[in-house]
Amino acid sequence: TRFALARGLGDVYKRQMEYIAKRRIQEAKALLTGTEKSIEQVAEETGFCSESYFCKLFKRYEGMTPSAFRQIK
């Protein structure tokens, strides 16, 4: 049915967006450990629309803030 197809496509979209977010977080981790760029600069360079959204996603995937990650690495 159309509903099942729409739901399936929604799941695919969700997985793609999660994959992209994880890849961006991985790149951000490299910038946080390999440079002295500000959190705001790292967020911008990895394609996040705002520093606060970046911090929210970073904490969701890594279990800590970008600042805390930088301090322990």
Side-chain angles (χ1 to χ4, degrees):
T1 68
R2 286 190 294 188
F3 177 72
L5 178 61
R7 187 176 62 202
L9 290 175
D11 290 344
V12 169
Y13 176 77
K14 209 177 200 179
R15 285 193 303 271
Q16 286 177 331
M17 294 308 294
E18 186 169 330
Y19 172 79
I20 291 167
K22 286 180 180 180
R23 292 283 298 150
R24 290 162 64 193
I25 294 295
Q26 290 302 316
E27 178 64 25
K29 288 167 58 177
L31 290 171
L32 288 167
T33 57
T35 71
E36 293 185 18
K37 294 180 179 186
S38 69
I39 304 298
E40 182 179 12
Q41 287 174 309
V42 171
E44 184 177 305
E45 287 188 27
T46 53
F48 288 92
C49 58
S50 72
E51 181 180 354
S52 62
Y53 182 64
F54 166 67
C55 291
K56 179 180 176 179
L57 277 187
F58 193 96
K59 189 168 185 176
R60 179 185 303 163
Y61 289 112
E62 298 302 318
M64 65 182 78
T65 65
S67 299
F69 177 83
R70 177 176 264 168
Q71 288 176 350
I72 65 166
K73 295 295 175 179

mmCIF file of all heavy atoms in Angstrom, residues 38-72:
data_model
loop_
_atom_site.group_PDB
_atom_site.id
_atom_site.type_symbol
_atom_site.label_atom_id
_atom_site.label_comp_id
_atom_site.label_asym_id
_atom_site.label_seq_id
_atom_site.Cartn_x
_atom_site.Cartn_y
_atom_site.Cartn_z
ATOM 1 N N SER A 38 37.739 27.093 17.482
ATOM 2 C CA SER A 38 36.669 27.200 18.463
ATOM 3 C C SER A 38 35.571 26.184 18.151
ATOM 4 O O SER A 38 35.479 25.679 17.021
ATOM 5 C CB SER A 38 36.073 28.611 18.447
ATOM 6 O OG SER A 38 35.358 28.820 17.238
ATOM 7 N N ILE A 39 34.743 25.917 19.132
ATOM 8 C CA ILE A 39 33.609 25.013 18.940
ATOM 9 C C ILE A 39 32.716 25.558 17.833
ATOM 10 O O ILE A 39 32.241 24.816 16.969
ATOM 11 C CB ILE A 39 32.803 24.835 20.248
ATOM 12 C CG1 ILE A 39 33.703 24.331 21.390
ATOM 13 C CG2 ILE A 39 31.615 23.915 20.030
ATOM 14 C CD1 ILE A 39 34.343 23.003 21.182
ATOM 15 N N GLU A 40 32.528 26.854 17.821
ATOM 16 C CA GLU A 40 31.702 27.481 16.791
ATOM 17 C C GLU A 40 32.300 27.252 15.397
ATOM 18 O O GLU A 40 31.573 26.920 14.448
ATOM 19 C CB GLU A 40 31.576 28.982 17.058
ATOM 20 C CG GLU A 40 30.696 29.695 16.059
ATOM 21 C CD GLU A 40 30.553 31.183 16.363
ATOM 22 O OE1 GLU A 40 31.309 31.713 17.197
ATOM 23 O OE2 GLU A 40 29.683 31.807 15.747
ATOM 24 N N GLN A 41 33.611 27.400 15.268
ATOM 25 C CA GLN A 41 34.263 27.172 13.974
ATOM 26 C C GLN A 41 34.136 25.715 13.545
ATOM 27 O O GLN A 41 33.890 25.426 12.371
ATOM 28 C CB GLN A 41 35.740 27.554 14.044
ATOM 29 C CG GLN A 41 35.991 29.036 14.095
ATOM 30 C CD GLN A 41 37.462 29.332 14.309
ATOM 31 O OE1 GLN A 41 38.090 28.790 15.214
ATOM 32 N NE2 GLN A 41 38.004 30.191 13.458
ATOM 33 N N VAL A 42 34.325 24.791 14.480
ATOM 34 C CA VAL A 42 34.202 23.363 14.175
ATOM 35 C C VAL A 42 32.786 23.053 13.708
ATOM 36 O O VAL A 42 32.591 22.347 12.715
ATOM 37 C CB VAL A 42 34.597 22.493 15.393
ATOM 38 C CG1 VAL A 42 34.263 21.033 15.163
ATOM 39 C CG2 VAL A 42 36.085 22.660 15.706
ATOM 40 N N ALA A 43 31.809 23.601 14.406
ATOM 41 C CA ALA A 43 30.409 23.382 14.020
ATOM 42 C C ALA A 43 30.163 23.890 12.606
ATOM 43 O O ALA A 43 29.565 23.188 11.777
ATOM 44 C CB ALA A 43 29.477 24.073 15.006
ATOM 45 N N GLU A 44 30.642 25.069 12.326
ATOM 46 C CA GLU A 44 30.428 25.671 11.006
ATOM 47 C C GLU A 44 31.135 24.862 9.916
ATOM 48 O O GLU A 44 30.554 24.577 8.866
ATOM 49 C CB GLU A 44 30.956 27.106 11.011
ATOM 50 C CG GLU A 44 30.689 27.845 9.727
ATOM 51 C CD GLU A 44 31.175 29.290 9.800
ATOM 52 O OE1 GLU A 44 30.755 29.997 10.734
ATOM 53 O OE2 GLU A 44 31.963 29.677 8.929
ATOM 54 N N GLU A 45 32.367 24.463 10.162
ATOM 55 C CA GLU A 45 33.143 23.732 9.161
ATOM 56 C C GLU A 45 32.606 22.331 8.891
ATOM 57 O O GLU A 45 32.880 21.760 7.839
ATOM 58 C CB GLU A 45 34.615 23.660 9.571
ATOM 59 C CG GLU A 45 35.318 24.978 9.414
ATOM 60 C CD GLU A 45 36.811 24.879 9.624
ATOM 61 O OE1 GLU A 45 37.395 23.799 9.392
ATOM 62 O OE2 GLU A 45 37.403 25.902 10.012
ATOM 63 N N THR A 46 31.880 21.788 9.832
ATOM 64 C CA THR A 46 31.312 20.452 9.632
ATOM 65 C C THR A 46 29.851 20.504 9.192
ATOM 66 O O THR A 46 29.185 19.475 9.137
ATOM 67 C CB THR A 46 31.488 19.580 10.884
ATOM 68 O OG1 THR A 46 30.985 20.261 12.028
ATOM 69 C CG2 THR A 46 32.949 19.231 11.106
ATOM 70 N N GLY A 47 29.374 21.703 8.882
ATOM 71 C CA GLY A 47 28.067 21.846 8.255
ATOM 72 C C GLY A 47 26.870 21.978 9.172
ATOM 73 O O GLY A 47 25.735 21.836 8.725
ATOM 74 N N PHE A 48 27.103 22.262 10.447
ATOM 75 C CA PHE A 48 25.978 22.442 11.353
ATOM 76 C C PHE A 48 25.488 23.882 11.288
ATOM 77 O O PHE A 48 26.289 24.816 11.152
ATOM 78 C CB PHE A 48 26.370 22.059 12.784
ATOM 79 C CG PHE A 48 26.542 20.584 12.961
ATOM 80 C CD1 PHE A 48 27.786 19.995 12.790
ATOM 81 C CD2 PHE A 48 25.465 19.772 13.251
ATOM 82 C CE1 PHE A 48 27.949 18.616 12.925
ATOM 83 C CE2 PHE A 48 25.611 18.397 13.386
ATOM 84 C CZ PHE A 48 26.859 17.825 13.221
ATOM 85 N N CYS A 49 24.189 24.042 11.397
ATOM 86 C CA CYS A 49 23.584 25.371 11.240
ATOM 87 C C CYS A 49 23.820 26.264 12.455
ATOM 88 O O CYS A 49 23.755 27.481 12.333
ATOM 89 C CB CYS A 49 22.093 25.242 10.941
ATOM 90 S SG CYS A 49 21.173 24.355 12.195
ATOM 91 N N SER A 50 24.091 25.668 13.601
ATOM 92 C CA SER A 50 24.362 26.473 14.792
ATOM 93 C C SER A 50 25.234 25.687 15.757
ATOM 94 O O SER A 50 25.254 24.452 15.743
ATOM 95 C CB SER A 50 23.063 26.875 15.493
ATOM 96 O OG SER A 50 22.479 25.751 16.125
ATOM 97 N N GLU A 51 25.940 26.422 16.588
ATOM 98 C CA GLU A 51 26.791 25.794 17.598
ATOM 99 C C GLU A 51 25.950 24.989 18.592
ATOM 100 O O GLU A 51 26.342 23.889 18.995
ATOM 101 C CB GLU A 51 27.592 26.869 18.333
ATOM 102 C CG GLU A 51 28.529 26.323 19.381
ATOM 103 C CD GLU A 51 29.304 27.422 20.089
ATOM 104 O OE1 GLU A 51 29.211 28.604 19.708
ATOM 105 O OE2 GLU A 51 30.015 27.082 21.053
ATOM 106 N N SER A 52 24.793 25.504 18.962
ATOM 107 C CA SER A 52 23.968 24.805 19.949
ATOM 108 C C SER A 52 23.442 23.474 19.393
ATOM 109 O O SER A 52 23.424 22.470 20.106
ATOM 110 C CB SER A 52 22.825 25.685 20.444
ATOM 111 O OG SER A 52 21.967 26.025 19.380
ATOM 112 N N TYR A 53 23.041 23.458 18.128
ATOM 113 C CA TYR A 53 22.574 22.210 17.523
ATOM 114 C C TYR A 53 23.722 21.209 17.413
ATOM 115 O O TYR A 53 23.562 20.028 17.681
ATOM 116 C CB TYR A 53 21.951 22.472 16.149
ATOM 117 C CG TYR A 53 21.405 21.229 15.493
ATOM 118 C CD1 TYR A 53 20.353 20.531 16.058
ATOM 119 C CD2 TYR A 53 21.955 20.753 14.317
ATOM 120 C CE1 TYR A 53 19.861 19.377 15.463
ATOM 121 C CE2 TYR A 53 21.468 19.608 13.709
ATOM 122 C CZ TYR A 53 20.425 18.924 14.288
ATOM 123 O OH TYR A 53 19.935 17.784 13.710
ATOM 124 N N PHE A 54 24.893 21.700 17.039
ATOM 125 C CA PHE A 54 26.081 20.850 16.980
ATOM 126 C C PHE A 54 26.359 20.226 18.350
ATOM 127 O O PHE A 54 26.570 19.019 18.453
ATOM 128 C CB PHE A 54 27.290 21.676 16.512
ATOM 129 C CG PHE A 54 28.606 21.007 16.740
ATOM 130 C CD1 PHE A 54 28.945 19.855 16.048
ATOM 131 C CD2 PHE A 54 29.515 21.529 17.644
ATOM 132 C CE1 PHE A 54 30.176 19.236 16.263
ATOM 133 C CE2 PHE A 54 30.742 20.924 17.859
ATOM 134 C CZ PHE A 54 31.079 19.767 17.170
ATOM 135 N N CYS A 55 26.339 21.039 19.397
ATOM 136 C CA CYS A 55 26.609 20.532 20.746
ATOM 137 C C CYS A 55 25.568 19.499 21.170
ATOM 138 O O CYS A 55 25.902 18.491 21.797
ATOM 139 C CB CYS A 55 26.675 21.681 21.743
ATOM 140 S SG CYS A 55 28.116 22.743 21.518
ATOM 141 N N LYS A 56 24.326 19.740 20.820
ATOM 142 C CA LYS A 56 23.244 18.811 21.157
ATOM 143 C C LYS A 56 23.464 17.454 20.484
ATOM 144 O O LYS A 56 23.378 16.407 21.140
ATOM 145 C CB LYS A 56 21.910 19.411 20.729
ATOM 146 C CG LYS A 56 20.711 18.543 20.986
ATOM 147 C CD LYS A 56 19.445 19.242 20.517
ATOM 148 C CE LYS A 56 18.233 18.358 20.675
ATOM 149 N NZ LYS A 56 17.009 19.046 20.254
ATOM 150 N N LEU A 57 23.764 17.455 19.189
ATOM 151 C CA LEU A 57 23.996 16.192 18.481
ATOM 152 C C LEU A 57 25.280 15.525 18.947
ATOM 153 O O LEU A 57 25.333 14.302 19.084
ATOM 154 C CB LEU A 57 24.052 16.418 16.971
ATOM 155 C CG LEU A 57 22.739 16.471 16.241
ATOM 156 C CD1 LEU A 57 22.962 16.519 14.737
ATOM 157 C CD2 LEU A 57 21.839 15.305 16.572
ATOM 158 N N PHE A 58 26.314 16.316 19.174
ATOM 159 C CA PHE A 58 27.579 15.756 19.636
ATOM 160 C C PHE A 58 27.366 15.005 20.946
ATOM 161 O O PHE A 58 27.820 13.874 21.101
ATOM 162 C CB PHE A 58 28.624 16.863 19.816
ATOM 163 C CG PHE A 58 30.014 16.340 19.987
ATOM 164 C CD1 PHE A 58 30.857 16.264 18.895
ATOM 165 C CD2 PHE A 58 30.490 15.924 21.224
ATOM 166 C CE1 PHE A 58 32.155 15.771 19.034
ATOM 167 C CE2 PHE A 58 31.771 15.437 21.383
ATOM 168 C CZ PHE A 58 32.616 15.359 20.275
ATOM 169 N N LYS A 59 26.652 15.622 21.862
ATOM 170 C CA LYS A 59 26.393 14.983 23.151
ATOM 171 C C LYS A 59 25.541 13.724 22.983
ATOM 172 O O LYS A 59 25.770 12.715 23.655
ATOM 173 C CB LYS A 59 25.727 15.956 24.118
ATOM 174 C CG LYS A 59 25.634 15.401 25.524
ATOM 175 C CD LYS A 59 25.259 16.455 26.518
ATOM 176 C CE LYS A 59 25.306 15.858 27.917
ATOM 177 N NZ LYS A 59 25.035 16.843 28.930
ATOM 178 N N ARG A 60 24.583 13.749 22.070
ATOM 179 C CA ARG A 60 23.734 12.584 21.823
ATOM 180 C C ARG A 60 24.575 11.386 21.346
ATOM 181 O O ARG A 60 24.395 10.267 21.809
ATOM 182 C CB ARG A 60 22.673 12.899 20.772
ATOM 183 C CG ARG A 60 21.774 11.704 20.473
ATOM 184 C CD ARG A 60 20.799 11.958 19.357
ATOM 185 N NE ARG A 60 19.945 13.114 19.629
ATOM 186 C CZ ARG A 60 19.241 13.749 18.707
ATOM 187 N NH1 ARG A 60 19.288 13.368 17.445
ATOM 188 N NH2 ARG A 60 18.489 14.771 19.034
ATOM 189 N N TYR A 61 25.502 11.634 20.442
ATOM 190 C CA TYR A 61 26.286 10.546 19.871
ATOM 191 C C TYR A 61 27.521 10.183 20.679
ATOM 192 O O TYR A 61 27.945 9.027 20.673
ATOM 193 C CB TYR A 61 26.693 10.876 18.433
ATOM 194 C CG TYR A 61 25.540 10.836 17.473
ATOM 195 C CD1 TYR A 61 25.070 11.990 16.869
ATOM 196 C CD2 TYR A 61 24.895 9.647 17.177
ATOM 197 C CE1 TYR A 61 24.004 11.962 15.991
ATOM 198 C CE2 TYR A 61 23.827 9.608 16.304
ATOM 199 C CZ TYR A 61 23.382 10.764 15.711
ATOM 200 O OH TYR A 61 22.315 10.727 14.846
ATOM 201 N N GLU A 62 28.124 11.140 21.363
ATOM 202 C CA GLU A 62 29.373 10.890 22.068
ATOM 203 C C GLU A 62 29.232 10.833 23.591
ATOM 204 O O GLU A 62 30.162 10.447 24.282
ATOM 205 C CB GLU A 62 30.418 11.949 21.688
ATOM 206 C CG GLU A 62 30.774 11.951 20.222
ATOM 207 C CD GLU A 62 31.318 10.614 19.742
ATOM 208 O OE1 GLU A 62 32.118 9.989 20.460
ATOM 209 O OE2 GLU A 62 30.937 10.187 18.635
ATOM 210 N N GLY A 63 28.088 11.264 24.102
ATOM 211 C CA GLY A 63 27.862 11.189 25.539
ATOM 212 C C GLY A 63 28.537 12.284 26.340
ATOM 213 O O GLY A 63 28.591 12.211 27.570
ATOM 214 N N MET A 64 29.080 13.282 25.653
ATOM 215 C CA MET A 64 29.720 14.422 26.319
ATOM 216 C C MET A 64 29.712 15.605 25.370
ATOM 217 O O MET A 64 29.484 15.439 24.174
ATOM 218 C CB MET A 64 31.155 14.079 26.723
ATOM 219 C CG MET A 64 32.080 13.829 25.557
ATOM 220 S SD MET A 64 33.755 13.358 26.046
ATOM 221 C CE MET A 64 33.459 11.656 26.469
ATOM 222 N N THR A 65 29.959 16.767 25.907
ATOM 223 C CA THR A 65 29.992 17.961 25.075
ATOM 224 C C THR A 65 31.289 18.007 24.266
ATOM 225 O O THR A 65 32.269 17.348 24.625
ATOM 226 C CB THR A 65 29.913 19.233 25.943
ATOM 227 O OG1 THR A 65 31.096 19.296 26.753
ATOM 228 C CG2 THR A 65 28.657 19.252 26.800
ATOM 229 N N PRO A 66 31.320 18.804 23.199
ATOM 230 C CA PRO A 66 32.568 18.949 22.452
ATOM 231 C C PRO A 66 33.714 19.473 23.323
ATOM 232 O O PRO A 66 34.860 19.034 23.179
ATOM 233 C CB PRO A 66 32.212 19.956 21.346
ATOM 234 C CG PRO A 66 30.744 19.850 21.188
ATOM 235 C CD PRO A 66 30.211 19.515 22.550
ATOM 236 N N SER A 67 33.421 20.384 24.231
ATOM 237 C CA SER A 67 34.457 20.916 25.128
ATOM 238 C C SER A 67 35.032 19.829 26.016
ATOM 239 O O SER A 67 36.254 19.733 26.193
ATOM 240 C CB SER A 67 33.898 22.044 25.990
ATOM 241 O OG SER A 67 33.462 23.102 25.189
ATOM 242 N N ALA A 68 34.169 19.005 26.580
ATOM 243 C CA ALA A 68 34.633 17.908 27.430
ATOM 244 C C ALA A 68 35.455 16.910 26.617
ATOM 245 O O ALA A 68 36.494 16.425 27.076
ATOM 246 C CB ALA A 68 33.446 17.209 28.090
ATOM 247 N N PHE A 69 35.010 16.625 25.414
ATOM 248 C CA PHE A 69 35.752 15.710 24.534
ATOM 249 C C PHE A 69 37.150 16.247 24.270
ATOM 250 O O PHE A 69 38.129 15.511 24.339
ATOM 251 C CB PHE A 69 34.992 15.517 23.212
ATOM 252 C CG PHE A 69 35.707 14.655 22.231
ATOM 253 C CD1 PHE A 69 35.616 13.274 22.307
ATOM 254 C CD2 PHE A 69 36.470 15.223 21.221
ATOM 255 C CE1 PHE A 69 36.288 12.474 21.400
ATOM 256 C CE2 PHE A 69 37.146 14.425 20.309
ATOM 257 C CZ PHE A 69 37.056 13.049 20.407
ATOM 258 N N ARG A 70 37.236 17.523 23.972
ATOM 259 C CA ARG A 70 38.530 18.143 23.680
ATOM 260 C C ARG A 70 39.451 18.068 24.892
ATOM 261 O O ARG A 70 40.657 17.831 24.763
ATOM 262 C CB ARG A 70 38.318 19.581 23.248
ATOM 263 C CG ARG A 70 39.619 20.317 22.989
ATOM 264 C CD ARG A 70 39.363 21.703 22.484
ATOM 265 N NE ARG A 70 39.447 21.675 21.027
ATOM 266 C CZ ARG A 70 39.048 22.667 20.246
ATOM 267 N NH1 ARG A 70 38.502 23.740 20.760
ATOM 268 N NH2 ARG A 70 39.195 22.579 18.948
ATOM 269 N N GLN A 71 38.922 18.251 26.087
ATOM 270 C CA GLN A 71 39.738 18.247 27.291
ATOM 271 C C GLN A 71 40.322 16.868 27.590
ATOM 272 O O GLN A 71 41.443 16.776 28.084
ATOM 273 C CB GLN A 71 38.931 18.720 28.500
ATOM 274 C CG GLN A 71 38.653 20.206 28.458
ATOM 275 C CD GLN A 71 37.774 20.649 29.621
ATOM 276 O OE1 GLN A 71 37.231 19.839 30.354
ATOM 277 N NE2 GLN A 71 37.618 21.952 29.774
ATOM 278 N N ILE A 72 39.594 15.799 27.294
ATOM 279 C CA ILE A 72 40.109 14.463 27.627
ATOM 280 C C ILE A 72 40.951 13.846 26.520
ATOM 281 O O ILE A 72 41.600 12.841 26.751
ATOM 282 C CB ILE A 72 38.980 13.485 28.023
ATOM 283 C CG1 ILE A 72 38.042 13.228 26.851
ATOM 284 C CG2 ILE A 72 38.216 13.979 29.236
ATOM 285 C CD1 ILE A 72 37.126 12.053 27.065
#
